[in-house]
């Protein structure tokens, strides 16, 4: 690409704080290697499960027509593309089934934006994977710190999809650390990607919702490439009048104190603390349904098959914002329906990938039970109940004999405070691979290669395990 042009930037302000953090020289947190291994396994596995989804096929046909070439692996096909295109396809696939990881305290899916961008750039450039842990730490911290400062609940309430908007900044920061880009060029990359930030919540339940994550990953790769080549942006874009924080946040409602100092403090905090605000999904549905699913599964054991008359769900304030209006109109939309997810849990005793096919969605008993479910937001937590940053769900089941059974869940199964076991994560990965059509032998090889890459192993082993010859039709094709 040649030597980058020297670019003038200012030395204070939010953009500078973020750029300096991304370009810093903190050493990798060795204790995060195992977590990154879990993240890589979960992100790639969740993407593979979408290999035969209609939206995935449309995107792959589009990509083939575009004819981009490169060295970055497209996970669902094993073919290669440019880093930007691979990031787009892999990020979209990873978010396609709403099975990707979460942040309990805020509505973000960090890994489906950060990981596709990082792996695509690392493959394209042959970057040392020993920097992956450090780069992911930076991206995870930026994601949460920027969301804190907006603040995110205002941003989300306006209809923005935080995974997509803030995710672009986080992925730029992560890639900048991976490729060891200077703070000056990183500031311009942040300014470039800030002009690309978009993603609307009204598209939840459609094919475009997962596309938000893929576009964010692609734009991050593009912004870094452009900035390295000398392409410029306003180096104070984030803090400028009508800049990113003005457009997408509310300074009047942001945390008190000097914004630069507050951002710097939040970045340092989240650099170490992000694992306490992270979780792997146990169910392939919007995270806004998961506490209700956990509660419903516990109640199902308690009522022991008794006929159900009514189900009432009460969630924390703003707990329904990510959900679609009732009734959901398709299996895709049903991923964002607490009424549907709870009816499946109570009827079938599990919530799995096969529950979000059109045949399963049309099952008469599920529809009958779904219509008996109601959901409301509570203004305040129940008296005497503990409060966690991520909220809660209380599910009450009324059986035909008039008996009432209630269960409350604050911390979901899979949350970092209540994690899945290694066996449960491996079962999810194997199920995703089989659903997407990867052979069992290749899935085992891929699992080993992904865990190794979090410790500096070669990404060539990941690409080899994803080769096209290891594909079958998959379970739900």
């Amino acid at each position: 690409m040649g030597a980058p042009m020297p670019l003038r930037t200012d030395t204070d302000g939010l953009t500078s704080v973020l750029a300096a953090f991304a370009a810093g020289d903190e050493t990798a947190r060795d204790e995060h290697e195992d977590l990154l291994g879990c993240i890589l396994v979960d992100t790639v596995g969740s993407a593979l499960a979408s290999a035969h989804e209609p939206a995935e096929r449309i995107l792959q046909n589009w990509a083939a027509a575009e004819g981009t070439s490169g060295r970055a692996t497209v996970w669902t096909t094993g073919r290669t593309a440019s880093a930007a295109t691979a990031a787009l396809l892999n990020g979209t696939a990873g978010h396609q089934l709403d099975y990707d990881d979460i942040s309990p305290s805020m509505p973000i899916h960090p890994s489906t934006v950060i990981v596709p961008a990082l792996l695509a750039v690392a493959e394209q450039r042959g970057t040392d994977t020993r920097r992956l842990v450090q780069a992911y730490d930076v991206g995870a911290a930026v994601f949460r710190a920027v969301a804190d400062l907006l603040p995110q609940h205002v941003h989300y309430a306006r209809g923005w999809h935080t995974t997509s908007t803030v995710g672009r900044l986080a992925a730029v920061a992560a890639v900048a650390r991976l490729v060891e880009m200077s703070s000056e060029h990183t500031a311009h990359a942040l300014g470039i990607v800030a002009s690309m930030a978009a993603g609307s919540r009204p598209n939840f339940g459609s094919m475009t919702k997962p596309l938000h994550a893929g576009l964010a990953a692609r734009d991050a790769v593009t912004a870094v490439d452009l900035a390295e080549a000398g392409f410029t942006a306003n180096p104070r874009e984030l803090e400028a009048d009508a800049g990113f924080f003005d457009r997408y946040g509310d300074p009047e409602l942001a945390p008190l104190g000097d914004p630069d100092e507050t951002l710097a403090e939040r970045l340092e905090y989240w650099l170490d603390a992000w694992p306490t605000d992270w979780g792997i999904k146990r169910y392939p549905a919007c995270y806004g349904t998961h506490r209700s699913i956990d509660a419903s599964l516990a109640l199902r054991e308690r009522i022991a098959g008794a006929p159900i008359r009514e189900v009432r769900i009460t969630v924390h304030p703003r707990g329904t914002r990510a959900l679609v209006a009732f009734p959901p109109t398709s299996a895709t939309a049903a991923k964002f329906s607490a009424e549907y997810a709870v009816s499946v849990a109570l009827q079938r005793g599990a919530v799995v990938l096969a529950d979000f096919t059109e045949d399963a969605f049309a099952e008469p008993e599920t529809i009958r039970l779904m219509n008996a479910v109601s959901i409301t937001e509570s203004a305040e937590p129940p008296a005497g109940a503990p409060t966690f940053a991520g909220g809660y769900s209380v599910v009450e089941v009324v059986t035909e004999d008039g008996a009432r059974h209630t269960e409350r869940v604050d911390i979901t199964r899979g949350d970092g405070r209540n994690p899945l076991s290694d066996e449960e994560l491996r079962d999810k990965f194997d199920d995703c691979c089989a659903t997407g059509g990867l052979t069992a032998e290749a899935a085992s090889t891929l699992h080993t290669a992904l865990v190794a890459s979090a410790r500096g192993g070669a990404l060539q082993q990941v690409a080899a395990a994803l080769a096209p010859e290891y594909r079958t039709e998959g379970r739900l094709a």
Side-chain angles (χ1 to χ4, degrees):
M1 184 176 293
M5 295 172 57
L7 302 172
R8 176 185 175 277
T9 60
D10 293 289
T11 57
D12 59 356
L14 295 169
T15 312
S16 178
V17 169
L18 208 56
F21 177 77
D25 57 1
E26 296 91 348
T27 57
R29 272 65 173 164
D30 291 341
E31 66 272 20
H32 292 175
E33 283 185 348
D34 288 343
L35 286 176
L36 181 61
C38 292
I39 286 166
L40 296 180
V41 166
D42 190 64
T43 305
V44 176
S46 296
L48 284 169
S50 75
H52 300 292
E53 289 292 303
E56 175 66 11
R57 289 172 172 169
I58 292 170
L59 274 177
Q60 292 296 342
N61 289 338
W62 167 83
E66 289 290 298
T68 62
S69 60
R71 302 187 339 190
T73 303
V74 177
W75 301 336
T76 56
T77 65
R79 301 184 181 93
T80 57
S82 69
T85 299
L88 167 66
L89 297 174
N90 294 338
T92 304
H95 203 39
Q96 190 79 249
L97 299 174
D98 273 276
Y99 214 5
D100 46 324
D101 68 3
I102 49 87
S103 163
S105 74
M106 57 187 73
I108 63 171
H109 299 271
S111 296
T112 197
V113 179
I114 298 172
V115 169
L118 284 177
L119 294 193
V121 170
E123 268 196 296
Q124 183 70 32
R125 302 190 184 201
T127 305
D128 188 344
T129 57
R130 286 177 293 183
R131 294 205 292 271
L132 280 176
V133 173
Q134 194 176 117
Y136 188 90
D137 278 345
V138 166
V142 168
F143 225 138
R144 291 163 174 85
V146 171
D148 281 346
L149 200 62
L150 282 170
Q152 65 82 19
H153 69 271
V154 173
H155 180 70
Y156 201 73
R158 290 179 180 171
W160 294 113
H161 184 192
T162 315
T163 294
S164 179
T165 51
V166 180
R168 282 171 166 84
L169 301 180
V172 161
V175 174
R177 175 61 67 90
L178 180 73
V179 302
E180 299 183 307
M181 192 160 71
S182 70
S183 60
E184 292 79 13
H185 285 85
T186 302
H188 286 274
L190 290 168
I192 293 167
V193 89
S195 281
M196 302 172 171
S200 65
R201 286 200 294 114
N203 268 314
F204 284 16
S206 75
M207 291 181 179
T208 299
K209 197 259 191 177
L211 182 64
H212 292 170
L215 291 172
R218 180 202 66 182
D219 289 352
V221 173
T222 300
V224 167
D225 285 346
L226 289 173
E228 278 189 315
F231 209 88
T232 64
N234 184 341
R236 297 180 61 88
E237 206 288 336
L238 302 186
E239 69 271 21
D241 289 343
F244 183 90
F245 280 93
D246 271 359
R247 293 195 307 275
Y248 296 112
D250 188 334
E252 298 299 319
L253 297 174
L256 295 176
D258 180 272
D260 299 358
E261 293 178 2
T262 300
L263 179 60
E265 183 273 329
R266 298 313 294 163
L267 288 168
E268 290 300 326
Y269 170 77
W270 284 120
L271 189 64
D272 289 310
W274 70 259
T276 67
D277 186 49
W278 169 78
I280 290 175
K281 280 188 172 181
R282 191 180 188 188
Y283 315 112
C286 173
Y287 187 64
T289 68
H290 281 219
R291 294 179 182 85
S292 300
I293 293 171
D294 281 341
S296 298
L297 291 173
L299 288 169
R300 186 178 189 269
E301 294 185 8
R302 200 178 307 162
I303 64 176
I308 296 172
R309 178 195 303 169
E310 184 181 4
V311 182
R312 299 170 182 164
I313 307 171
T314 304
V315 297
H316 58 279
R318 301 192 294 268
T320 63
R321 282 187 174 173
L323 306 179
V324 297
F326 185 81
T329 56
S330 67
T332 298
K335 288 179 171 291
F336 300 86
S337 170
E339 294 92 345
Y340 179 77
V342 163
S343 68
V344 168
L346 289 170
Q347 182 195 349
R348 303 173 192 168
V351 179
V352 298
L353 287 165
D355 291 318
F356 297 96
T357 60
E358 293 302 329
D359 286 346
F361 177 65
E363 204 277 326
E365 178 56 23
T366 304
I367 293 174
R368 182 202 71 77
L369 189 53
M370 180 171 65
N371 281 285
V373 179
S374 62
I375 181 169
T376 58
E377 291 184 7
S378 173
E380 298 291 341
T387 300
F388 294 93
Y392 58 86
S393 176
V394 178
V395 178
E396 180 185 53
V397 171
V398 183
T399 53
E400 288 293 354
D401 60 6
R404 298 176 181 273
H405 307 269
T406 303
E407 183 75 14
R408 174 188 168 109
V409 170
D410 291 275
I411 302 177
T412 59
R413 192 78 176 89
D415 185 302
R417 297 164 293 181
N418 184 23
L420 299 182
S421 66
D422 291 344
E423 183 179 2
E424 287 172 322
L425 177 56
R426 182 59 186 267
D427 286 346
K428 174 183 173 179
F429 177 78
D430 288 343
D431 183 49
C432 285
C433 290
T435 299
L438 197 68
T439 66
E441 182 180 359
S444 180
T445 301
L446 177 61
H447 185 277
T448 300
L450 288 168
V451 172
S453 65
R455 298 177 176 275
L459 288 175
Q460 291 94 322
Q461 302 304 314
V462 173
L466 290 168
E469 58 263 32
Y470 298 124
R471 309 293 166 141
T472 68
E473 283 301 307
R475 288 182 181 169
L476 304 180

